[in-house]
Amino acid sequence: MEKLNDWLLFEASNQIKKWRQQFNRPFYVSVNISAKQLHLPYLAESIQSTMEFVSLPTQALKVEITEDHFLGENSHIKNNLDLLKALGVDIYIDDFGMGYSALNYLQRLPLSSLKIDRSFVKELGEEKSLVEGIIGMAQPLKLQVIAEGIETEAQLKGLRALGCDYGQGHFFAKPMDATNMTKWLEEHL
């Protein structure tokens, strides 16, 4: 991976390791992988060596990629995803529903989860059929569903009623640096 991406993965993994030790909980780190990185022949090896250097199991890493990475057939991408999955890295489709519409990749790629884009969550009130469809499609494929952009208790309740597995957004906490996150964890765990 590029030097900046290596450094970011190292820093994030190192922080997760500290929180795991401090709070005795199985925290994980979620990183976005670019289309360029998905084409690198040494992606899995680089990630594995970073995780080993930090002494964090590869299962503590979640990789997020967007649907547009699957445009066309590309054996490098599938190979890299297969290698990451073999290492125990979970693979998430980020902003699901906002990009590539050929859904056959849901069955042929080693995916773990779909992340519903916040634009669908925002309109959850009267118009819930798309979210309901995404959740309904994910369940038989044994994919977890994570809703992004949850801002209200009503959205959370609606998503739970539809069978959404997890959520993220300002309703739970605003983005924060590691110091403030540590304080937040001390107060909420």
Side-chain angles (χ1 to χ4, degrees), residues 34-50:
S34 71
K36 181 179 176 183
Q37 290 171 294
L38 276 175
H39 286 88
L40 296 174
Y42 52 84
L43 174 68
E45 182 181 317
S46 178
I47 286 174
Q48 183 178 20
S49 65
T50 300

Side-chain angles (χ1 to χ4, degrees), residues 82-122:
D82 286 339
L83 290 170
L84 290 173
K85 190 67 169 186
L87 290 174
V89 175
D90 283 332
I91 302 164
Y92 293 5
I93 299 295
D94 195 18
D95 300 332
F96 183 76
M98 299 303 293
Y100 191 46
S101 61
L103 300 176
N104 65 339
Y105 67 84
L106 293 178
Q107 288 185 313
R108 65 180 170 81
L109 295 176
L111 305 174
S112 304
S113 185
L114 299 179
K115 294 183 78 177
I116 299 173
D117 186 71
R118 65 179 14 96
S119 63
F120 297 122
V121 173
K122 191 174 193 175

Side-chain angles (χ1 to χ4, degrees), residues 118 120-126 147-161 166-174:
R118 65 179 14 96
F120 297 122
V121 173
K122 191 174 193 175
E123 304 298 326
L124 192 61
E126 295 294 319
E148 297 180 309
I150 299 173
E151 296 181 3
T152 67
E153 187 170 354
Q155 289 171 332
L156 177 61
K157 286 181 180 179
L159 289 160
R160 281 184 176 155
Y166 298 100
Q168 68 183 60
H170 289 178
F171 177 74
F172 304 107
K174 304 252 191 276

Side-chain angles (χ1 to χ4, degrees), residues 116-184:
I116 299 173
D117 186 71
R118 65 179 14 96
S119 63
F120 297 122
V121 173
K122 191 174 193 175
E123 304 298 326
L124 192 61
E126 295 294 319
E127 185 51 56
K128 64 179 181 182
S129 59
L130 286 174
V131 173
E132 194 171 31
I134 292 169
I135 293 169
M137 178 179 51
Q139 289 173 338
L141 295 171
K142 298 189 181 359
L143 297 173
Q144 293 178 335
V145 180
I146 302 167
E148 297 180 309
I150 299 173
E151 296 181 3
T152 67
E153 187 170 354
Q155 289 171 332
L156 177 61
K157 286 181 180 179
L159 289 160
R160 281 184 176 155
L162 294 174
C164 186
D165 300 304
Y166 298 100
Q168 68 183 60
H170 289 178
F171 177 74
F172 304 107
K174 304 252 191 276
M176 59 188 88
D177 61 23
T179 301
N180 286 322
M181 184 66 184
T182 302
K183 290 176 188 174
W184 187 90

